[in-house]
Amino acid sequence: DSVIAIKGDPKDPESKGELNIRDKKMKKILYAPDRLKYPMKRIGERGENKWERISWDEALTTIANRLNEIKEKYGAEAIDFHHGHYHSGDVIGPYLTRLANLIGTPNVTNPSHVCHLPRVFLQYRFDFGVVVPPDIPNTNCLIIWGGNPKATNKPQEIAIREARKRGAKLIVIDPRLTPYAEEADIFAQLRPGTDGALALGMINVIINEKLYDPEFVENWTVGFDKLVKHIEDYSPEKVEKITWVPAETIRKMARMYATTKPACISPRNALDQHTNASCAIRAIDILMAITGNIDVKGGNVIVVPLSLGLTDVKLFEKLSPEALEKKIGANKCLYSKMSTTWPAAHTPSLWDAILEEDPYPVKAMFIMAANPAVTCANTNVVIKALKKLDFLVVVDIFMTPTAELADIVLPACTFLEQTRYVTYDTHADHGWNVPSRIMLSPKVVEPLYESWSDWKIICELGKKMGYEKYFPWKTREEAINYELKPFGITCDELKKHPEGIIIPLPSILYKKFSGFLGSIIRGALKLTMFRNYPNMYKKYDGFLKGFLTPSKKVEIYSEQLEKLGYDPLPVYREPAESPVSCPELAREYPFILIAGSKLKMYTHSMMRNIPDLRKLMPKNLLEINPVAAERLGIKDGDIVRVESLRGSIRSFAKVTEIIDPRVVHLYYGFQESNCNILTDHKAFDPITGSVGLKSSLCRVIKD
């Protein structure tokens, strides 16, 4: 069998049958001639790109033996499992973590510290006790804060388009004039990394003009009185000097958001990529709360994640408390310290552990679906660390710069060559029209060449390492049935419903009310208090019995953070590297660097080897304002050199007015003009671990 065509499903409530550019070229990716075809081991020097073909059995036996040797000699914590992002319901995170926990290492790293984790962690752990994505299909006012869904999220792009057609207001907050900013009712072009100050300035206006929701504030928040005093320091005039956003624009935004009911905020990925990320995210959460826009139709809604009802495959009970204490970054980053149910070792701290053996040596990495040699901050340090490892395994579809440094490379297959299921779980920056839906993504063709699915690779390696009884499934379908067992759903049933199956009760109830008697109770609940689920609102005043915080309310003033030694209210502090925090450095490196936005034709660093996609954006571009360009003698299309304290790259200049004269921007994911050579991994937010990818200093020189 072969794939003939790839089309969208017009009946799908999210995509409405529309495909993005990458989807349309998926057949080209599937049949790309440069795919990895079989396992290989390195025969030259590391990075020399000389390989010898080996069998799967030899590859897995070698990996198992080397990892066991390193565990025996240095301890299990000397092994790090690293993965890229995966879609909800996919296998890499849960099953790779299962293997790591069986081995006994607490070190599972990923890019979450700069992608989604900071927003989820603060909402879930401190502010609300749950995650509250925006209900865009039903809103009358939307704030897009630090992102461009047209490039990254087709379902949300559609939802925004439809909301605008029916008259919803749009506010865009971004350092660049994005396509959404061009059409917005209000556009705030702020200085990169000053989002927290801007949010606090909006709170100042809402409180002083009494635009907040007094009933919600009185009944469902704690610490509002302290907030009132706290925001006296953040007048719009003072915030204008910090953010470059005019005081009158700050007032207009605050008024529009607070008085247009319902309203929601989509806090997007850029917020995760500053060294002061936690201040901005918490201040934005407070904006949602004091305006009463929490869990109302069209606001930021509480969605009970489907993942709570799944059989948990991660086996965290196998990891000892002593092992957890050794987690990389636990002594530097609050998230890494506090998270005991999800992989949370701190990726930037990992490179120092490898290079400086602080707090102990890390000797081996097993990397799946990730390309840290391009995508992680401070590329030169990352490559140096990868080269220093005793043993490196990379699993990917193509030969990446990271794979070129490996000892063994394993060929993975695409999603078209494996069966998986997808849960429409909640995210902090976007919600789903059908949040309680489970869908099957069935295998379309058999794996090409000798490629294996990620799930099979993990399971077979687990067996080789002596954990056969913990990987009992013969097929992926068997494992899916095991994971979905609490819901009473199987792969066979999902195949009969290509549109997906909606779970009619909060997922947590399926474990609580299991068995025959449980099914009777669940049936009764469907007919009574949960008859409107999942389209229920004000759940905090219903079955949740408040918010899932210690006070059962939204914690504007966080005593939890205070006890841990952090600010109980969000306090704006400058980015670690800014014209204000580093004025002497700024004289030598005068531009604020945004590094860098995603592109609609690529996913992170992937797909640049596909000619049909590469021709759409073949080279990286440095966006620079005409005023700055003229001062430096730079014309559109010129080759320029961009330098920071970390290194230097060459790029092509794009002279454009979409960016402030004091700011420059590079795109993300290009190997040959890699913006991450310029970024820093050392400075990060002490709560979330976020590094300053979008707020550091650089200089630009005509080459």
Side-chain angles (χ1 to χ4, degrees):
D1 293 340
S2 62
V3 173
I4 298 170
I6 295 173
K7 297 178 181 178
D9 181 0
K11 296 178 183 177
D12 185 82
E14 294 300 319
S15 69
K16 312 290 176 72
E18 293 187 32
L19 298 177
N20 62 39
I21 294 172
R22 302 182 297 275
D23 297 333
K24 293 173 183 176
K25 300 300 178 182
M26 194 61 220
K27 183 178 173 183
K28 299 272 187 180
I29 297 168
L30 173 67
Y31 293 118
D34 55 340
R35 276 188 59 173
L36 290 170
K37 296 177 173 65
Y38 38 74
M40 298 185 294
K41 70 177 180 182
R42 174 172 61 85
I43 54 174
E45 292 297 314
R46 182 164 282 170
E48 200 176 353
N49 216 10
K50 291 183 178 178
W51 305 95
E52 179 182 295
R53 179 177 181 174
I54 57 175
S55 68
W56 271 103
D57 185 67
E58 181 182 347
L60 293 176
T61 300
T62 303
I63 296 166
N65 289 342
R66 290 298 306 276
L67 293 183
N68 280 327
E69 287 168 8
I70 288 167
K71 176 182 176 180
E72 182 68 26
K73 186 173 181 180
Y74 298 101
E77 65 273 12
I79 302 167
D80 176 74
F81 288 91
H82 184 86
H83 64 82
H85 273 307
Y86 50 91
H87 296 288
S88 181
D90 215 337
V91 301
I92 297 177
Y95 283 91
L96 201 59
T97 302
R98 183 185 186 90
L99 179 57
N101 288 336
L102 287 167
I103 291 170
T105 177
N107 294 324
V108 179
T109 54
N110 52 50
S112 291
H113 63 290
V114 289
C115 189
H116 193 57
L117 156 72
R119 288 162 286 159
V120 170
F121 177 55
L122 289 165
Q123 286 189 2
Y124 177 77
R125 189 64 180 79
F126 297 105
D127 297 343
F128 306 118
V130 289
V131 181
V132 289
D135 184 16
I136 294 172
N138 296 304
T139 199
N140 288 328
C141 178
L142 167 66
I143 299 180
I144 300 176
W145 202 316
N148 178 19
K150 283 186 179 178
T152 59
N153 191 314
K154 175 60 73 173
Q156 193 171 43
E157 177 192 352
I158 295 167
I160 294 169
R161 183 198 312 154
E162 293 179 350
R164 291 289 279 164
K165 279 181 183 175
R166 58 177 174 73
K169 301 290 186 183
L170 178 62
I171 299 168
V172 173
I173 299 170
D174 203 291
R176 297 167 66 241
L177 183 69
T178 64
Y180 282 117
E182 290 179 342
E183 67 165 275
D185 296 280
I186 302 175
F187 169 48
Q189 189 166 18
L190 80 169
R191 172 163 67 95
T194 62
D195 306 83
L198 185 60
L200 289 164
M202 291 173 67
I203 293 169
N204 175 289
V205 174
I206 289 168
I207 289 177
N208 287 332
E209 297 187 8
K210 294 188 166 37
L211 302 177
Y212 57 88
D213 183 326
E215 185 181 350
F216 186 87
V217 166
E218 174 68 24
N219 296 328
W220 295 106
T221 71
V222 293
F224 183 74
D225 55 335
K226 295 183 176 70
L227 177 69
V228 172
K229 184 170 178 55
H230 179 66
I231 53 87
E232 289 175 2
D233 241 2
Y234 296 94
S235 69
E237 284 70 25
K238 180 177 178 179
V239 170
E240 175 180 345
K241 292 175 183 175
I242 297 170
T243 64
W244 305 342
V245 177
E248 193 52 34
T249 301
I250 296 170
R251 290 190 173 94
K252 286 179 180 177
M253 284 195 302
R255 291 165 185 160
M256 181 178 285
Y257 172 67
T259 61
T260 310
K261 301 290 187 179
C264 64
I265 301 176
S266 179
R268 302 199 66 83
N269 189 197
L271 293 167
D272 304 329
Q273 300 183 0
H274 300 289
T275 58
N276 55 9
S278 56
C279 166
I281 295 163
R282 290 211 67 229
I284 291 168
D285 290 348
I286 289 170
L287 270 173
M288 300 174 191
I290 65 172
T291 54
N293 279 307
I294 295 296
D295 213 30
V296 295
K297 187 174 183 178
N300 284 79
V301 297
I302 295 170
V303 180
V304 181
L306 278 173
S307 56
L308 294 177
L310 298 171
T311 303
D312 190 354
V313 300
K314 295 188 289 293
L315 293 180
F316 263 103
E317 65 273 16
K318 296 292 181 184
L319 199 62
S320 70
E322 294 77 24
L324 267 174
E325 289 178 7
K326 295 179 180 179
K327 190 190 309 175
I328 295 290
N331 60 335
K332 300 177 181 178
C333 163
L334 184 62
Y335 175 76
S336 292
K337 180 179 180 179
M338 292 188 75
S339 179
T340 56
T341 57
W342 196 251
H346 188 230
T347 302
S349 298
L350 170 69
W351 313 126
D352 292 336
I354 296 170
L355 291 171
E356 301 165 17
E357 302 192 351
D358 175 26
Y360 50 76
V362 172
K363 295 294 186 179
M365 284 185 71
F366 185 96
I367 300 176
M368 297 191 86
N371 187 13
V374 173
T375 60
C376 285
N378 208 341
T379 296
N380 290 332
V381 165
V382 174
I383 291 174
K384 187 178 177 183
L386 293 173
K387 286 182 175 179
K388 190 190 174 193
L389 290 166
D390 286 3
F391 188 58
L392 174 61
V393 180
V394 175
V395 183
D396 216 309
I397 299 169
F398 297 100
M399 181 64 76
T400 65
T402 303
E404 288 176 358
L405 301 174
D407 296 287
I408 289 184
V409 174
L410 301 177
C413 51
T414 68
F415 76 90
L416 294 169
E417 302 159 272
Q418 57 185 307
T419 295
R420 60 178 189 156
Y421 70 93
V422 178
T423 61
Y424 283 73
D425 255 1
T426 181
H427 293 254
D429 57 355
H430 56 269
W432 306 105
N433 294 347
V434 190
S436 293
R437 183 166 53 136
I438 297 178
M439 290 181 67
L440 193 71
S441 175
K443 180 168 64 177
V444 177
V445 291
E446 290 299 318
L448 299 182
Y449 316 110
E450 292 183 22
S451 65
W452 281 11
S453 71
D454 298 314
W455 178 85
K456 183 177 179 181
I457 292 169
I458 296 168
C459 291
E460 293 303 316
L461 177 58
K463 292 174 186 175
K464 280 283 186 185
M465 295 193 71
Y467 306 114
E468 294 91 341
K469 71 176 182 178
Y470 296 105
F471 296 95
W473 313 283
K474 292 184 176 62
T475 64
R476 177 65 185 131
E477 286 79 0
E478 272 188 34
I480 291 174
N481 289 344
Y482 172 75
E483 291 177 62
L484 297 181
K485 188 176 180 181
F487 292 130
I489 294 174
T490 65
C491 272
D492 287 341
E493 288 173 87
L494 286 172
K495 287 175 184 175
K496 296 172 187 174
H497 296 276
E499 77 285 2
I501 294 175
I502 293 176
I503 304 299
L505 290 172
S507 55
I508 48 179
L509 298 182
Y510 288 85
K511 286 180 178 176
K512 184 176 181 180
F513 298 118
S514 58
F516 176 72
L517 183 59
S519 66
I520 295 173
I521 295 171
R522 292 201 309 267
L525 289 171
K526 286 178 199 175
L527 298 173
T528 54
M529 67 183 295
F530 292 109
R531 59 186 176 275
N532 295 322
Y533 191 85
N535 298 311
M536 290 174 69
Y537 297 100
K538 295 193 175 181
K539 293 181 280 295
Y540 56 84
D541 201 14
F543 77 91
L544 286 178
K545 296 183 173 61
F547 290 86
L548 304 181
T549 59
S551 65
K552 300 293 184 183
K553 297 181 179 183
V554 177
E555 305 209 334
I556 292 172
Y557 186 96
S558 175
E559 290 188 1
Q560 293 184 84
L561 283 171
E562 187 175 40
K563 288 174 184 174
L564 290 163
Y566 301 93
D567 298 319
L569 287 165
V571 176
Y572 174 73
R573 292 184 176 85
E574 278 291 313
E577 198 173 284
S578 84
V580 178
S581 60
C582 303
E584 290 186 16
L585 182 66
R587 281 192 280 274
E588 192 175 348
Y589 297 92
F591 289 103
I592 300 171
L593 172 66
I594 303 172
S597 297
K598 303 181 187 78
L599 290 155
K600 63 183 178 181
M601 67 287 301
Y602 305 126
T603 299
H604 301 297
S605 67
M606 295 179 278
M607 303 175 186
R608 285 168 175 77
N609 61 316
I610 307 302
D612 285 9
L613 294 173
R614 182 75 184 208
K615 69 183 180 184
L616 300 174
M617 180 85 171
K619 56 196 179 188
N620 204 353
L621 300 173
L622 177 86
E623 293 176 347
I624 185 169
N625 185 277
V627 173
E630 185 177 3
R631 187 175 72 245
L632 297 171
I634 294 169
K635 294 184 175 61
D636 196 66
D638 282 352
I639 297 175
V640 294
R641 197 163 70 250
V642 190
E643 298 178 346
S644 77
L645 286 176
R646 272 71 57 187
S648 171
I649 66 170
R650 297 168 82 234
S651 186
F652 291 88
K654 180 177 175 61
V655 180
T656 172
E657 293 185 346
I658 74 168
I659 200 157
D660 187 279
R662 296 160 286 188
V663 181
V664 293
H665 168 264
L666 283 160
Y667 288 94
Y668 159 71
F670 286 89
Q671 174 187 346
E672 61 283 357
S673 181
N674 182 6
C675 64
N676 275 322
I677 285 174
L678 308 171
T679 57
D680 183 31
H681 78 294
K682 284 282 191 182
F684 48 82
D685 188 292
I687 294 176
T688 63
S690 310
V691 294
L693 299 180
K694 287 184 164 58
S695 49
S696 58
L697 296 176
C698 74
R699 63 186 172 206
V700 179
I701 303 164
K702 185 177 178 181
D703 208 30

